[in-house]
Amino acid sequence: MAHDRSRIGPGLGRRGLLRGLALMAAVAVLPPQRLEAASLPLEQRLKVCQPPGDPLQELLRRNREFAALWAEAEASGDPLERARLLQQGWPLHCAVRPDALAQGQRPWAAVLACADSRVAPEWIFAAGSGELFEVRTAGNTASDAGVASLDYAVAELAVPLIVVLGHSGCGAVAAAMASRPLTPLLEELVLPIRAALPAGASLAAAVAAHTRAAAAALPRRSALLAGAVAAGRLRIQPAYLDIGSGQVNLL
């Protein structure tokens, strides 16, 4: 079915045009060494998207742009139009060359997030391939495999930031709060969640409490992570995603 492009609306249409013009202007003033990225050393090509300042503030800045777009697209009653609006306005500002990614990675942040299908770190933080090192488990719990993965990210990839990301409506936390029986493996998964639950808490408060506890558990469970935090090479930050608004807030 054909769709009238005018339905995009003047605001997003202008923004898409301005984004394109800004990108062309930026490319026009790039020095030759940036335009000839394939000739640069591999390490430099892998780090081309790393922010010059605080990586946490860069994640939050990108998320604010995403959340604004998420709210604008919500007004459309057509899923195809929403997809087009999101695709046109998605604030991805940088992309590592595929030939560099084929040889290595230099992510500048790690995210321990829930496996929930509604939580995609690279989407809500507008990150391209090679920017974020992601560990995802139901309930964003620091499992043995998850901690080992984050050890690798810090020791081998020099990641300076780990964000532990809880979210609204978390099914794993809801299961931990409920009294119905679970499978043996699910019971094992929710044990650390139950240990962090405040008495009588709402689901949102329970998610926040568990997320803080999961972040605090990382350096306790890993001497490597604890050493990196003590040396100032690593920050571990709990945060909360409101799925409806797309907004991430620090805890």
Side-chain angles (χ1 to χ4, degrees), residues 3 7 18 29 49 117 184 193 218:
H3 290 268
R7 296 172 64 192
L18 290 174
V29 300
C49 292
S117 64
I193 301 177
L218 290 177

Side-chain angles (χ1 to χ4, degrees), residues 7-216:
R7 296 172 64 192
I8 293 174
L12 284 173
R14 283 196 299 269
R15 182 168 62 183
L17 175 62
L18 290 174
R19 186 183 297 276
L21 291 174
L23 180 60
M24 287 188 290
V27 171
V29 300
L30 283 177
Q33 63 267 28
R34 289 292 303 276
L35 293 175
E36 296 297 328
S39 65
L40 297 176
L42 175 62
E43 189 74 7
Q44 193 170 345
R45 285 184 283 151
L46 290 173
K47 290 183 175 181
V48 68
C49 292
Q50 290 191 2
D54 182 355
L56 180 60
Q57 292 307 312
E58 175 66 8
L59 287 179
L60 294 176
R61 183 191 67 78
R62 292 184 182 197
N63 174 253
R64 286 192 297 270
E65 292 186 0
F66 167 78
L69 177 65
W70 189 245
E72 288 187 58
E74 184 182 15
S76 172
D78 181 348
L80 295 180
E81 181 178 313
R82 281 199 302 276
R84 184 167 61 247
L85 297 179
L86 291 167
Q87 183 181 40
Q88 287 183 336
W90 189 46
L92 180 64
H93 296 294
C94 187
V96 180
R97 288 177 60 97
D99 59 352
L101 290 172
Q103 302 176 69
Q105 59 172 322
R106 286 296 179 268
W108 48 269
V111 182
L112 172 58
C114 187
D116 193 297
S117 64
R118 301 165 294 176
V119 180
E122 63 270 76
W123 177 242
I124 62 173
F125 292 122
S129 182
E131 292 195 81
L132 300 182
F133 186 95
E134 298 177 24
V135 177
R136 300 185 64 177
T137 63
N140 50 274
T141 300
S143 64
D144 288 348
V147 175
S149 298
L150 293 171
D151 275 357
Y152 173 81
V154 173
E156 301 298 326
L157 304 177
V159 167
L161 171 68
I162 298 173
V163 174
V164 181
L165 186 64
H167 68 92
S168 59
C170 182
V173 176
M177 299 173 70
S179 57
R180 66 180 183 275
L182 302 172
T183 67
L185 287 177
L186 284 176
E187 285 287 354
E188 182 179 341
L189 184 144
V190 302
L191 276 177
I193 301 177
R194 284 182 177 147
L197 295 181
S202 66
L203 178 57
V207 170
H210 164 60
T211 302
R212 292 189 188 97

